[in-house]
Amino acid sequence: MNKKFLLLILLILPLLSIQANEKVKTTLSCQIYDYRGEMIYYDCVQTPFIRAEFHNNPGESHVYEFETDDIVTLIVNGREQFVMQPGDSLHATIRYGENGRPEDVKLSGSERAVKQNNLRRDLKQVQLSMRYKTQLLACIAIDTKPADRFRESQTFWEKANKLIKLESSHCSADFLNYLYAEYEAIVYGSYIEYPPLYADTRHVPIEKQGIGDYWNIINDYQPRADLASLRCMPYSEFLILYCFYKRTKEAHAAGKTYTRPNSLEGLYKELSTFFDGNQRDATLFLILSNYIRNGKEIEKVEPYLKEYKEKYNLNKEYAAILDSLMQ
């Protein structure tokens, strides 16, 4: 082998090794105007290990560089949400209105990150233009009939689906899965939850609500199990509702009454026997982390946390988060 060529290889190899071991950086920066708070906060929905805070200096770019192996959602000042993937660089110029809420948001940065987050914002605009409520108690308050709610949900889903498909070529597969999970949680969660909620509050039995056969309303739905979808916290919450719905349906078919578990013991047992794989991992993580954050009788969680880590935990980030919360 040529000595000069060999020397070149020996010089390049260490550089390649360094580059291979470097983690891809992901960056969110925001310029914020007319915000009244003293501090600017970046909080991650998926993990407490990704967070930042800055003193509020109008016009200054508050730059946060972090590492992530998966899709994450960062919330700025408790309101504006940005979905980011490894390697994304996103800059947001946010102007607040007199009501103290973000009034104008402009995005720049890496092309994929900008297009994906603009799509998500466009979907929010569709929701606002329809005045489609995501809080079911708000629908109850104005006495939205279940049949009307179902029609609104179907129309909203059709519009959202059309927009997502129109822009899908600009999006990653993980982002599309995350986005569909987010909106399926809203729409299918409404199908599951609204009829019994309406029956309880407005005293109209489900069979008299004009929605057809409630027990077959989502027969064609297959719950998502891909990792990107399960990174969407509202979707994990929906999966728990889905479990309750299926158990209630089984009890109804047998002429029995199903009572939803409301204790850690009951929830853990129900979810660990209903789901498997990634779905079980995500839902158990959700109830364990919520219970720990609630801060009451933490000692009760210890045996379940031990069993979860030994038998069911697949995503090691979940275990690390739970251990951190327990400290």
Side-chain angles (χ1 to χ4, degrees):
M1 182 180 288
N2 185 289
K3 290 184 178 179
K4 290 184 178 180
F5 182 66
L6 179 60
L7 180 61
L8 181 63
I9 291 176
L10 292 174
L11 289 171
I12 291 174
L13 280 176
L15 295 175
L16 292 175
S17 177
I18 291 172
Q19 291 177 352
N21 290 327
E22 286 181 351
K23 288 196 172 184
V24 177
K25 298 292 184 180
T26 305
T27 306
L28 174 65
S29 63
C30 295
Q31 284 177 288
I32 298 176
Y33 298 90
D34 302 320
Y35 178 64
R36 297 168 189 169
E38 294 183 3
M39 301 294 292
I40 304 296
Y41 297 98
Y42 296 0
D43 294 294
C44 181
V45 172
Q46 288 78 15
T47 171
F49 300 143
I50 297 176
R51 65 181 305 274
E53 58 183 60
F54 309 87
H55 287 284
N56 180 18
N57 295 314
E60 180 182 328
S61 288
H62 303 296
V63 182
Y64 179 44
E65 192 176 71
F66 59 97
E67 295 176 353
T68 179
D69 297 324
D70 299 292
I71 192 167
V72 291
T73 302
L74 270 71
I75 304 178
V76 177
N77 292 339
R79 285 192 177 275
E80 282 302 307
Q81 295 189 13
F82 302 104
V83 176
M84 304 188 70
Q85 293 182 255
D88 281 353
S89 179
L90 188 67
H91 178 78
T93 302
I94 306 173
R95 295 184 183 276
Y96 281 73
E98 292 182 359
N99 60 4
R101 298 180 181 181
E103 193 173 70
D104 181 66
V105 179
K106 288 184 170 57
L107 303 179
S108 59
S110 52
E111 183 178 9
R112 183 186 68 178
V114 171
K115 287 185 175 180
Q116 290 184 163
N117 280 280
N118 276 333
L119 170 57
R120 197 163 177 269
R121 293 181 61 78
D122 289 343
L123 287 165
K124 292 294 182 184
Q125 284 303 122
V126 170
Q127 182 181 330
L128 288 172
S129 68
M130 287 184 60
R131 297 182 179 179
Y132 182 81
K133 296 176 175 60
T134 57
Q135 296 296 324
L136 297 184
L137 286 176
C139 298
I140 292 291
I142 61 174
D143 196 16
T144 301
K145 301 296 188 287
D148 293 333
R149 176 65 180 180
F150 275 35
R151 280 191 291 270
E152 291 171 359
S153 296
Q154 181 63 33
T155 301
F156 174 60
W157 178 241
E158 289 171 356
K159 289 184 176 183
N161 205 23
K162 182 179 179 180
L163 184 55
I164 294 171
K165 287 183 177 179
L166 187 65
E167 299 295 328
S168 62
S169 62
H170 304 302
C171 304
S172 71
D174 278 352
F175 177 80
L176 290 173
N177 282 335
Y178 186 99
L179 200 58
Y180 273 119
E182 186 174 27
Y183 282 90
E184 285 175 15
I186 294 172
V187 173
Y188 286 91
S190 186
Y191 290 155
I192 289 174
E193 282 292 277
Y194 197 60
L197 181 62
Y198 193 86
D200 288 343
T201 55
R202 293 290 179 174
H203 310 294
V204 179
I206 291 176
E207 58 272 15
K208 294 184 179 180
Q209 293 177 5
I211 59 171
D213 186 359
Y214 171 71
W215 302 112
N216 292 311
I217 202 72
I218 59 168
N219 266 6
D220 59 343
Y221 184 73
Q222 293 296 319
R224 293 175 170 271
D226 65 277
L227 295 179
S229 293
L230 296 175
R231 298 284 291 177
C232 178
M233 290 299 167
Y235 192 76
S236 293
E237 293 170 356
F238 163 73
L239 286 179
I240 295 174
L241 295 178
Y242 179 82
C243 168
F244 293 161
Y245 170 79
K246 295 296 263 186
R247 292 300 198 208
T248 306
K249 180 178 178 178
E250 292 169 4
H252 177 78
K256 299 178 181 178
T257 300
Y258 175 76
T259 302
R260 294 184 179 187
N262 55 19
S263 65
L264 175 61
E265 179 183 14
L267 284 167
Y268 184 92
K269 180 180 179 181
E270 191 72 286
L271 296 174
S272 62
T273 54
F274 184 83
F275 291 114
D276 58 19
N278 292 325
Q279 292 173 335
R280 176 167 55 199
D281 192 16
T283 52
L284 289 180
F285 165 73
L286 182 61
I287 63 161
L288 288 170
S289 60
N290 285 347
Y291 195 88
I292 296 169
R293 286 189 176 100
N294 193 41
K296 294 180 180 179
E297 300 179 306
I298 296 298
E299 67 279 359
K300 285 187 176 181
V301 82
E302 291 177 353
Y304 297 105
L305 177 58
K306 182 176 184 294
E307 181 181 275
Y308 162 74
K309 290 195 291 184
E310 291 175 352
K311 294 177 62 176
Y312 303 131
N313 178 232
L314 301 174
N315 185 338
K316 298 310 173 186
E317 182 186 34
Y318 290 163
I321 292 171
L322 292 171
D323 286 341
S324 175
L325 292 174
M326 288 291 285
Q327 293 176 2

